[in-house]
Amino acid sequence: MYRFVSPLQEGVILKRRNRFVMDVLLGDTVVACHCPVTGRIGDLVFDGVPCLVSATDDPRRNTAFTVEAISIDADRQWIGIHQGRVNDFVEHWLRTNVISAFPSPKHVEREKVVDASRIDFKVDGTYIEVKAPLAELFVTPLPRFERRAVTRPIETERLIRHLETLIATLPKTGRAVLLYVFLYDAPIFTGNPNRKHDLRIRQLIRDASADGLEIWQVNGDVSTEGIRLTHCVETTPHFK
């Protein structure tokens, strides 16, 4: 398990003030919390959504707390939303040998420059790009949680650029991995074949899989103490 420095605290989001700040009720006090996702999260309106927050005493921070996870379904599972920490979780799982795509890695490097781009990891000569989709949440929300209409595709041109950079490493390495990370119990992710951007992504994956591109998915279970990897599976065949 990846353990947090201090246990997370449970609260309730009163509103998302803007892209960067959520107002959260902790006990009897309303506190401003950093929102680690600048885009949309499952098209949710956040009034009344339960959450887990972490605290910091960093004097450079404008907010003393960060929203780490939310819960919107009947099972009360926590959905991790801190995309900025996902690579920390992945590095921990790599170094503790629990990602089956790399059962016993010897050399784990982060933020490797490839041409004019950066790839998240290079592990024993294989490049890994990590993505943690949150624009759509693959759980059934309780009726009391309001949602807005979907306004844009799940995947973006930025992912396509990163995928193209990852594919460009294949002639030298013979293997590359696009790793989707969900910090909750998500089903197998294949994108949406009815969306223009996803069609392009699926075509890139189909064309490059014969040259060594692999798609993997990991799911994690969030608690107040930390995050435990629960599932790791190759999903390349699902994109063909």
Side-chain angles (χ1 to χ4, degrees):
M1 175 187 284
Y2 179 100
R3 293 192 176 277
F4 301 127
V5 175
S6 300
L8 304 183
Q9 302 177 55
E10 186 170 344
V12 176
I13 301 171
L14 301 181
K15 66 178 179 179
R16 185 174 185 176
R17 191 188 305 177
N18 53 45
R19 293 169 61 197
F20 307 101
V21 178
M22 290 176 164
D23 291 328
V24 174
L25 180 65
L26 285 182
D28 297 326
T29 305
V30 177
V31 297
C33 298
H34 171 60
C35 176
V37 183
T38 57
R40 60 189 177 90
I41 306 171
D43 298 301
L44 285 170
V45 177
F46 281 91
D47 302 4
V49 172
C51 67
L52 295 176
V53 304
S54 60
T56 178
D57 56 4
D58 186 344
R60 297 170 296 179
R61 285 275 304 267
N62 293 324
T63 55
F65 299 91
T66 296
V67 177
E68 299 282 350
I70 61 172
S71 178
I72 59 172
D73 65 341
D75 294 330
R76 194 58 187 274
Q77 72 166 320
W78 294 110
I79 300 170
I81 67 168
H82 200 154
Q83 291 173 319
R85 298 184 67 183
V86 167
N87 282 4
D88 293 338
F89 308 149
V90 171
E91 181 178 4
H92 173 79
W93 293 331
L94 284 166
R95 295 190 183 278
T96 54
N97 304 328
V98 294
I99 294 183
S100 53
F102 299 90
S104 300
K106 295 179 174 60
H107 303 287
V108 178
E109 304 172 87
R110 288 179 62 164
E111 296 292 325
K112 300 301 293 182
V113 176
V114 177
D115 297 328
S117 300
R118 290 182 183 271
I119 299 293
D120 291 315
F121 289 93
K122 187 178 183 182
V123 178
D124 296 337
T126 296
Y127 288 97
I128 309 172
E129 183 66 17
V130 177
K131 296 299 175 188
L134 284 171
E136 184 174 359
L137 299 178
F138 299 97
V139 298
T140 302
L142 292 169
R144 65 188 177 90
F145 295 123
E146 183 182 352
R147 290 182 293 174
R148 298 184 177 91
V150 174
T151 56
R152 55 182 173 145
I154 297 172
E155 305 293 354
T156 65
E157 291 290 347
R158 184 169 179 267
L159 171 55
I160 293 175
R161 291 196 301 271
H162 287 175
L163 182 56
E164 289 173 336
T165 300
L166 189 65
I167 291 169
T169 68
L170 287 171
K172 290 185 178 180
T173 64
R175 186 192 185 203
V177 173
L178 176 62
L179 181 66
Y180 282 107
V181 177
F182 295 88
L183 301 179
Y184 62 99
D185 186 23
I188 296 298
F189 176 73
T190 61
N192 186 331
N194 297 318
R195 298 184 189 275
K196 176 182 176 181
H197 288 73
D198 283 35
L199 288 173
R200 172 62 176 155
I201 291 166
R202 293 171 72 90
Q203 187 62 55
L204 285 169
I205 291 170
R206 283 195 294 267
D207 292 345
S209 60
D211 298 321
L213 177 66
E214 300 173 10
I215 315 300
W216 286 74
Q217 176 175 329
V218 298
N219 289 357
D221 178 49
V222 180
S223 69
T224 57
E225 301 297 324
I227 300 180
R228 178 175 58 91
L229 187 147
T230 57
H231 293 92
C232 180
V233 61
E234 184 177 1
T235 60
T236 313
H238 294 275
F239 285 84
K240 295 181 180 179

